[in-house]
Structure formats: C-alpha cells, structure tokens
Amino acid sequence: MPTPLPTIDMAAMPAQPSYVQVIDPVAGEAIVPLPPGGVITLGRAPSNDVVLHDERASRFHAEIRSGDAGWIVRDLQSRNGTLVNGEGIAADQPLSAGDVVRIGNVHVVFGTGDLPTGAVTAVGASGAATAEMSAEASEWQASITHRRARSRLLEAIQESAPSAPRVGQAAAELCRLAFSLSAAEDIRGIARLALDSALKGTAAGRGLVLLPIALSDYDAGAVTVDMLSVVSAAPDPWAGPLPAAAAGSVLAGDEAMIAGGDGHGSHSSFTAPIRSRGRPVGAMHLEAGEGHEATPDDLEFVMAVCDALGVAIDNLAAREALSTRLATAADENERLRRRLGDEGRMVGESPALLGIVGQVERVATTKATVLVRGESGAGKELIARAIHDSSDRRGGPFVCLNCAALSETLLESELFGHEKGAFTGATERKIGKFEAAHKGTLMLDEIGEMSPAIQAKFLRVLEGHPFERVGGSGRVQVDVRVVAATNRDLEKAVTAGQFRRDLYFRLKVVEIMVPPLRRRPKDIEPLALHFLARFASETGRKIRGFTPEAIEAMQAYHWPGNIRELRNVIERAVVLSQEDMIDAHELSLSHLASPGDSHTGRSPLAGPFTPMTIEEMERRHVLATLEAVGGNKTKAATILGIERSTLDRKLAKWAKV
C-alpha cells in the first residue's frame, strides 16, 4: 500500500492564513486559499491552480509561492509580463495584504486573515443564496481536513508498480468507467456511471452528482450553486439537505477536499469538482459509510473519476453540437438539391423542346463533343447541365466558363491555369477550368469569342493531348467532356478567318439547335407557372396564378431576352404584385426588337413603291436612322453597322448634292 497522504489539521494551521481574490471579467470572482508552505500557478492552461480567461495570459504565466519572508509572486517568463500594483516585475516580488497582481484584465488581490464572509460560496450566486449559505459554509469550512487541487492517481497509474495493489484496482476501475462512459447518451447516464464507480472504489456509503442539466449551460460562463441539480444519487434517492456549502466551496476554489464528521451522526465526506473545458461546472459529493473514514486515497480516486466524467461531458456536448450541425447541413443540402433539380429541369411541352430532350438523352450516353447553338437566354447552359446529369459523368464536376467575359490572357489562365509568378498578380499556383472539370463536364459559353491563339491550344486539348499551365513546363493530362455553346454564326466566322476551321469541325460532332422562346409559344405558359411557383415559395407570397389577360400578353410578346427575360419578368411581378393573381399591367415587357427581326421603325420603303437607286435608298435609310436616334451619330453608326468616320463621309458627300 502506498503511504497515505498526511491529514492536515485545520486547527494547527498558522494564525494568519493567506488567500487571493481572483477577479476575472470572464469567469467572475473567486477566493483561492493559499496552502501554507505551498505554491499555486496562474495561467491559461487547464492544469493551473488558477485558470485565467484572458488571451494575453500565457499558458503558465506566474506563480505565487511561500518564501522565507512570506508570500512572493514570480513571473514564469510570460509573453506579456506580470504587474504588481501597476509596476512590471522582473524578479521575485514579495506580497503584502492588499497588493494587486494584474495579468491582462485579470486582477489577483492578495489578502491575509480570515476569508471574506461567504467567499466559499459559488461565484455569481444570488445575494439570497449567499446569505443563507454563509453561516453553513463557515461551519462546514472549519471541518475540512484535507484539500487537493489535482489528482496524483493517474500519474501513479502511469508509474504503477506491481507492489501497489490499490493503484492497480483503481486503474482497472477507471478503464472500465472510460469504456462505459463512451456508450452513455445523456447527462444522467454518464453521471450515474461515474457515481457508481466512485462508490465502488472508495469507502463511501452514499453520494450524489450535482450538475446543470442542460448542456448549453456549460457554455454560459461561471456555473453557480443555484444552477446545479441532482442528476444522480446512489444507492438510494438523496435524503436530507443538499451539500450546498461543499459544492459552493469546490466551485469557488476548484479543488477537492475532505471534511470530518461532527461526532453527532454526521459522517466524514469528500467532495471533488467536475471540470468541463478547464473550469468547474459541478461537484461529486460522497459520505463515508458507517464505521469508515474518508481518506486522501479515496479523494484521489474520486478526483480521477470526476476528471473522466468531465471529459465525457465535453464529448457529449460536442456530439450533440455535431449532430445539430449535421442535421442542419442535411436539411440545407436537401433544399439546395431540390432547388438545383428545379433549376436544371427543362419545362415545356412544345415539339421543339421534346425533340431537344430526345437529343439530350441520346447524346448523353456517348463521349461526343456537343455544340449547342441558340440566342442568348434560350437555355443553352440548361441543356449542357442536362447532358451532364444524364451521363456517366454526373458524379463528377460540372464547370462553366463564359469565354466572352475575359481578355485573351485571362481566358488562357482560366482555362489552363497558371504557375506562381507567371505574370503580374500571379501570387500562387492556380488550376484552370480543365483541371477543375477532370472526370466531369466543361461547358464553354460564347465559344465564338475565343481568340485564334487560344483556339489552337484548346483544339489540342480536345484531341486528347496534355497541356501546360501558363508559365509552367509540367504537362497536365485531363479527362473532360466539352459542351460548347454560342449564339454567333460560326460558319460566317470561319469564312472570315475569325474561327479555326479544324476547331469548328471538332466541336460540331453533335449539334443541338435551341429555338428562341418566341418560336415555342406552347412553352411560355408552363415556364411562367414554373417560375411563379418557385418565386412565390422563396418570397412567401400567396399568388395563385395569372389572369387570362396576362397569359394573352405573354403569348403575344416576342421575348427578345428569351427564357432569361421571362424569368426576370415573373420574379419582378411576384415581388411587386399586390393581388393573388398577376395581371397584364404587372408584367414589365420591353420594346426591344428580337435578334434577327427587321427594323420596325421608320423605313425608306414604307408606303407605295417608289422607283429609286440603291444609293438613294441608302441615303434615305441612313437619314431616317439618324433622325430616330435624335441625331446621335455614334448610335446611328452602331445601328447601321458602320464606323463613325464612314457615316461622317457619307453625310458630307450628301450635303454637297
């Protein structure tokens, strides 16, 4: 058997005991008695006697120890230093009553003599609770025969000698407890397991565990006695008054203690703090059985059990927080998945759309490059995503890039990536869209805007060759399916030398033509109802549908912006409508001409036929255009498709006639 720790007789202690009053803005106030001839440490680490809740405190910041001439404070080579009465210290500094040790925003006041009235009461307890407990606390304080701040039992287990049977039994019980705690699912369950283990390993006849019931309370700051509840008692329900003084003392001092009996039926007891995240949040109180006395060895074992219980509380709180986050994330993922499914669904019932759906189903199962052609806003990206989602690459990434939005240099970097230092601003390596889309699909919108230099490099990648990042020499090989889209006349661009002929034929393996919305009138109403349901759900508006006049107006409109314009029109109407049915006047329809439509303003050919030369027809048309734009030559030249200087020459020539 190891030599029992000596029992400290409170009556034999010096007449002038010392203590420190810790004023922590985070944890509140606490009184820490100074053990005669001992030492206490202060710092952020949970293993300190006084745990400081300040980022400016070091893990092991300072210590207060008993010296030959009294108590001294010593800085432990901390990062931000230690102040005594506002002055920094470089060596051991003697302490006198009233001296203030400052570490960050934490003040530690040194005092001598009796502890302040009610000081052992839990920090932050209500005034009523302090008044009721002060007398009981003072009487109970006098019965304390032994105090410990940290258990040495676990250290002894690590050094366990075969000649120490008590240590071996304690180790076996603690291991069994650890496995049991890992399977418990609530606070009461782990408290009961810990209490049963403590009763089994000590001379206690009964005991109880005091803890806040809600796990959220463990993050609420300093825990007080009035926040505690009996979460477990054994072997029978707890009878008699609760050990409020004992619990308040261990919460305030963060140390375990043994208290002797009064000889009138009160048994000796031992109480230990239960720590969560380095601070006391509860207490385990046990009373020795009939004919037994609490021993320091018993207290060491109970402290080890409480430490294991604290770890289990932390794990349970983390598990509950993780479960909550996972449930929230799952709900969000499901919501996003439903929304993505709605956005990726092709809506309509026109023969043209049904034909496109059939093409998508057939081409998705192949590896062929697809060229999707149609006006802006007609749904080219939607078709590209449908091809991806229907293919065996649907588990891979779907990456989009608009080639018209970037300059030649930036487009090359976006497509193929760049190395650090490749150009000004390249502060780190960046992978391009081809690498990001590996094993997936890359959708390149406005492919007709790609410069000839990029077209050559792009063609090699399409042919299956590796490429190099901008500014690099390493060869990168990827497996990517390309879906290209454009609203330009690629054949005219090839003829004009603006688009490579070989790239044109490489892209046009499978071509899908997307007709504009004005040529798919049967799809207008289903699309409008689809967008109405979506935006009404997002905004919480109670809108049932469209009036017949609104449907008629949408059917008659030419939709120059195609599906994108329809979507924006419906969104605006849902947001601004004050009725449960959207009417025609709430649809914001533009007066722009559709791409490819003839000019609908004044025309030199209006009215009956008049014989004239082509030059005269040109003159009338130019002048009519100039008049339509209010004499703005720049706008007129843009509409006519000529340079401003050409327009000026024509006007000057006609002015001489």
Side-chain angles (χ1 to χ4, degrees):
M1 285 284 292
T3 304
L5 295 175
T7 301
I8 299 175
D9 187 355
M10 295 295 290
M13 293 180 66
Q16 287 293 322
S18 301
Y19 63 90
V20 290
Q21 181 181 11
V22 181
I23 305 173
D24 191 327
V26 176
E29 299 184 16
I31 301 296
V32 180
L34 298 177
V39 58
I40 66 169
T41 60
L42 305 92
R44 285 190 299 108
S47 56
N48 286 286
D49 300 294
V50 177
V51 179
L52 306 178
H53 302 80
D54 193 304
E55 289 298 326
R56 284 165 287 189
S58 299
R59 287 180 55 79
F60 299 97
H61 195 103
E63 64 181 18
I64 298 176
R65 61 168 54 245
S66 178
D68 295 336
W71 291 93
I72 63 171
V73 60
R74 174 182 299 168
D75 186 82
L76 300 178
Q77 298 182 343
S78 64
R79 182 177 68 250
N80 295 312
T82 303
L83 304 179
V84 176
N85 298 328
E87 299 291 335
I89 62 173
D92 293 351
Q93 174 74 29
L95 292 175
S96 302
D99 283 350
V100 178
V101 179
R102 181 175 175 181
I103 300 174
N105 284 331
V106 179
H107 294 73
V108 181
V109 183
F110 177 78
T112 59
D114 295 334
L115 297 179
T117 303
V120 295
T121 306
V123 178
S126 64
T130 302
E132 294 173 359
M133 292 171 53
S134 59
E136 177 189 357
S138 300
E139 179 181 353
W140 183 84
Q141 180 76 13
S143 69
I144 298 174
T145 61
H146 187 84
R147 292 178 181 267
R148 287 291 297 156
R150 292 290 182 270
S151 173
R152 292 199 302 262
L153 186 56
L154 293 179
E155 299 174 6
I157 291 174
Q158 295 173 354
E159 304 169 355
S160 58
S163 59
R166 173 66 186 271
V167 171
Q169 294 173 8
E173 180 59 27
L174 288 175
C175 288
R176 184 199 65 78
L177 175 62
F179 283 110
S180 300
L181 291 176
S182 65
E185 297 182 353
D186 55 34
I187 287 289
R188 295 188 183 277
I190 60 176
R192 178 68 192 203
L193 289 170
L195 183 58
D196 290 344
S197 184
L199 291 172
K200 184 177 180 180
T202 64
R206 69 171 188 160
L208 81 166
V209 174
L210 296 166
L211 283 170
I213 294 180
L215 288 177
S216 58
D217 293 341
Y218 295 98
D219 294 322
V223 177
T224 60
V225 173
D226 56 344
M227 293 170 61
L228 302 181
S229 302
V230 178
V231 296
S232 184
D236 300 309
W238 188 264
L242 297 178
S249 181
V250 299
L251 284 174
D254 192 17
E255 60 181 3
M257 54 192 66
I258 297 176
D262 59 7
H264 301 288
S266 176
H267 302 287
S268 63
S269 63
F270 34 91
T271 311
I274 300 169
R275 301 182 182 94
S276 173
R277 302 177 184 177
R279 57 186 176 84
V281 297
M284 179 180 289
H285 178 79
L286 298 102
E287 294 184 355
E290 195 70 36
H292 294 84
E293 288 293 327
T295 67
D297 281 345
D298 289 335
L299 186 63
E300 294 281 352
F301 181 75
V302 173
M303 292 175 68
V305 170
C306 288
D307 286 344
L309 177 55
V311 172
I313 289 174
D314 290 344
N315 292 340
L316 184 61
R319 207 158 60 226
E320 287 195 3
L322 179 60
S323 297
T324 301
R325 288 197 297 270
L326 288 176
T328 303
D331 292 342
E332 180 67 12
N333 287 342
E334 181 60 28
R335 186 183 68 82
L336 291 175
R337 189 177 294 110
R338 288 197 301 267
R339 178 170 178 177
L340 184 60
D342 287 342
E343 291 184 352
R345 183 164 58 93
M346 289 187 285
V347 177
E349 53 190 32
S350 67
L353 181 64
L354 297 179
I356 292 174
V357 171
Q359 282 184 285
V360 168
E361 292 175 350
R362 290 190 296 273
V363 76
T365 58
T366 70
K367 297 182 179 181
T369 303
V370 181
L371 178 61
V372 184
R373 306 179 70 166
E375 294 178 5
S376 178
K380 297 188 293 295
E381 183 178 338
L382 183 66
I383 291 173
R385 178 172 288 279
I387 293 173
H388 172 76
D389 291 341
S390 302
S391 70
D392 55 1
R393 295 174 179 264
R394 56 183 170 273
F398 177 75
V399 180
C400 293
L401 177 64
N402 190 330
C403 300
L406 302 170
S407 65
E408 179 178 332
T409 303
L410 291 178
L411 179 58
E412 184 178 12
S413 172
E414 284 293 318
L415 281 174
F416 308 110
H418 63 251
E419 298 289 348
K420 181 178 180 180
F423 49 81
T424 302
T427 57
E428 59 185 12
R429 170 187 283 187
K430 174 184 176 181
I431 67 169
K433 300 301 184 184
F434 268 108
E435 288 182 80
H438 183 57
K439 297 295 184 182
T441 303
L442 174 62
M443 191 266 187
L444 297 177
D445 199 7
E446 304 299 346
I447 192 72
E449 305 300 326
M450 187 179 290
S451 68
I454 305 298
Q455 291 176 27
K457 191 171 182 179
F458 176 53
L459 177 60
R460 284 190 55 82
V461 180
L462 279 183
E463 296 290 352
H465 297 287
F467 61 89
E468 298 173 357
R469 300 187 188 95
V470 178
S473 57
R475 299 171 70 82
V476 181
Q477 183 72 56
V478 294
D479 176 16
V480 174
R481 179 181 194 168
V482 173
V483 177
T486 184
N487 61 2
R488 286 190 61 184
D489 187 340
L490 289 185
E491 290 78 8
K492 184 180 295 185
V494 170
T495 303
Q498 298 173 348
F499 199 81
R500 292 179 63 101
R501 184 180 299 271
D502 48 2
L503 178 57
Y504 168 75
F505 289 113
R506 183 63 183 84
L507 290 173
K508 194 178 176 181
V509 177
V510 176
E511 185 178 51
I512 297 179
M513 296 295 298
V514 185
L517 185 58
R518 61 184 175 276
R519 298 180 186 172
R520 298 153 44 193
K522 288 187 176 180
D523 293 339
I524 294 176
E525 184 174 355
L527 281 168
L529 293 173
H530 168 74
F531 290 132
L532 174 64
R534 173 181 164 185
F535 293 125
S537 175
E538 290 181 359
T539 59
R541 304 296 304 277
K542 304 296 184 182
I543 300 179
R544 296 185 292 111
F546 301 94
T547 64
E549 292 75 15
I551 296 293
E552 183 178 352
M554 287 188 289
Q555 292 284 6
Y557 184 58
H558 55 285
W559 298 109
N562 291 294
I563 298 176
R564 183 183 293 119
E565 182 184 7
L566 174 62
R567 175 188 181 278
N568 295 337
V569 166
I570 301 303
E571 183 176 13
R572 178 186 182 278
V574 169
V575 172
L576 300 181
S577 177
Q578 298 180 354
E579 305 294 337
D580 61 349
M581 297 288 286
I582 294 177
D583 202 357
H585 71 274
E586 295 174 303
L587 301 174
S588 179
L589 305 179
S590 74
H591 300 288
L592 293 175
S594 301
D597 285 358
S598 60
H599 183 64
T600 57
R602 283 186 60 183
S603 170
L605 299 180
F609 170 74
T610 303
M612 68 181 71
T613 64
I614 293 178
E615 184 177 358
E616 176 63 16
M617 184 182 297
E618 179 187 25
R619 187 183 71 82
R620 292 189 183 186
H621 180 62
V622 170
L623 293 177
T625 304
L626 192 60
E627 181 184 354
V629 297
N632 190 316
K633 294 182 180 180
T634 301
K635 287 186 178 180
T638 301
I639 294 174
L640 294 169
I642 60 177
E643 297 291 336
R644 165 70 184 270
S645 58
T646 302
L647 177 61
D648 288 336
R649 286 196 302 271
K650 290 180 180 295
L651 293 175
K653 183 182 70 172
W654 295 330
K656 296 178 182 179
V657 178

